[in-house]
Amino acid sequence: MKTTPIIVALDYPDERSAMALVRQLDPSLCRLKVGKQLFTAAGPRWVEQLVKLGFPVFLDLKFHDIPTTVGLACKAAADLGVWMMNVHALGGGAMLRAAREGLGDVADRPLLIAVTLLTSMGETEMHEIGLNGTPQEAVLRLGRLTQASGLDGVVCSAQEATMLKRELGAQFNLVTPGIRPASAALGDQQRVMTPMAALAAGADYLVIGRPITHAPNPLQALLAIHQEITQGKTA
Ligand code: C5P
């Protein structure tokens, strides 16, 4: 396989514990996701170190602010050399366009994706903040807005992937968490899919945390998923 769709979620409290895992991994096998907790603890210089080690890094900070602030924050994130970053689609069209403009048009700019509706929000929570319709309708509406604003894709549940690929086209990247190999524990994820099923449904990238980070042998767990995907692709 030329590039790997696996993004390992580095959900650790500090760089020391994250590095203990990273040292066992190889950039040909996975990409890395750095979220709010680790970024706040370890900082941008440490993210640059990960990039220098050769890993494509997804900076998962989900910016949501006025357009000018988000545009400048996206530029600062791009300057770290990350491969992918994200914002909240609920920030609106002007904010999404400013985020995209913040990255400029250089060929090696990071991919910019949006979170549509947090998967922690159901219809009740949507109505609380004045959003009408079902979560699926909101996901599609915000996915369309994201695409029309020039972004490269969305974070979505694997259950939404087939519908979003059909509606938004093959080039629009779908990044899916909630992935569990058949043998792994669910943890607090309710609606999960195996790596192969998620790819078959249309996911382009798979965010995988605990099935790798909490495994007794994380490298072995990653290799098993990698093998499953590679064999599935050539089957
Ligand atoms: O450990 P697990 O595989 O459940 O980790 C999934 C990762 O994806 C975590 O970093 C989590 O914050 C993130 N995520 C998620 N569900 C979403 C969006 C992000 O689980 N809807």
Side-chain angles (χ1 to χ4, degrees):
M1 205 185 309
K2 215 172 84 198
T3 54
T4 171
I6 303 172
I7 305 174
V8 176
L10 291 178
D11 292 327
Y12 290 99
D14 53 54
E15 67 253 53
R16 212 165 54 91
S17 45
M19 271 323 261
L21 175 72
V22 172
R23 272 192 226 101
Q24 301 175 51
L25 305 177
D26 185 295
S28 69
L29 294 175
C30 67
R31 301 157 191 273
L32 300 175
K33 179 171 91 68
V34 177
K36 286 189 174 83
Q37 182 191 19
L38 184 55
F39 183 80
T40 304
R45 302 289 81 85
W46 185 73
V47 171
E48 284 178 321
Q49 276 183 42
L50 285 184
V51 172
K52 281 202 188 102
L53 289 174
F55 288 96
V57 174
F58 171 18
L59 193 60
D60 178 20
L61 298 181
K62 301 186 183 73
F63 295 135
H64 187 172
D65 208 316
I66 59 170
T68 304
T69 301
V70 168
L72 293 170
C74 285
K75 182 178 184 324
D79 288 344
L80 299 178
V82 300
W83 155 72
M84 178 183 272
M85 69 176 84
N86 60 1
V87 295
H88 268 288
L90 281 170
M95 190 208 82
L96 292 170
R97 289 190 295 277
R100 175 62 192 84
E101 280 160 23
L103 300 183
D105 274 322
V106 286
D108 60 348
R109 70 165 175 84
L111 291 176
L112 179 63
I113 62 169
V115 174
T116 53
L117 188 69
L118 291 169
T119 45
S120 52
M121 294 190 73
E123 235 172 292
T124 310
E125 289 78 14
M126 282 175 60
H127 295 167
E128 253 172 17
I129 59 166
L131 286 178
N132 298 321
T134 64
Q136 209 192 8
E137 286 163 352
V139 165
L140 181 56
R141 195 166 62 233
L142 291 164
R144 286 195 203 287
L145 177 66
T146 300
Q147 187 171 48
S149 306
L151 276 69
D152 304 297
V154 289
V155 182
C156 66
S157 112
Q159 271 82 6
E160 295 155 355
T162 302
M163 179 270 291
L164 288 173
K165 271 286 172 204
R166 187 182 60 236
E167 297 294 328
L168 303 176
Q171 300 309 312
F172 198 61
N173 289 285
L174 303 181
V175 179
T176 60
I179 302 298
R180 290 291 177 271
S183 57
L186 294 188
D188 55 4
Q189 298 279 16
Q190 300 289 333
R191 298 183 304 134
V192 300
M193 259 197 212
T194 65
M196 276 312 293
L199 290 173
D204 296 285
Y205 297 102
L206 312 172
V207 174
I208 308 179
R210 287 161 291 182
I212 293 171
T213 57
H214 288 197
N217 183 333
L219 178 60
Q220 210 171 55
L222 171 60
L223 280 170
I225 298 169
H226 180 77
Q227 204 171 29
E228 185 186 323
I229 291 172
T230 316
Q231 283 171 354
K233 277 254 163 107
T234 53

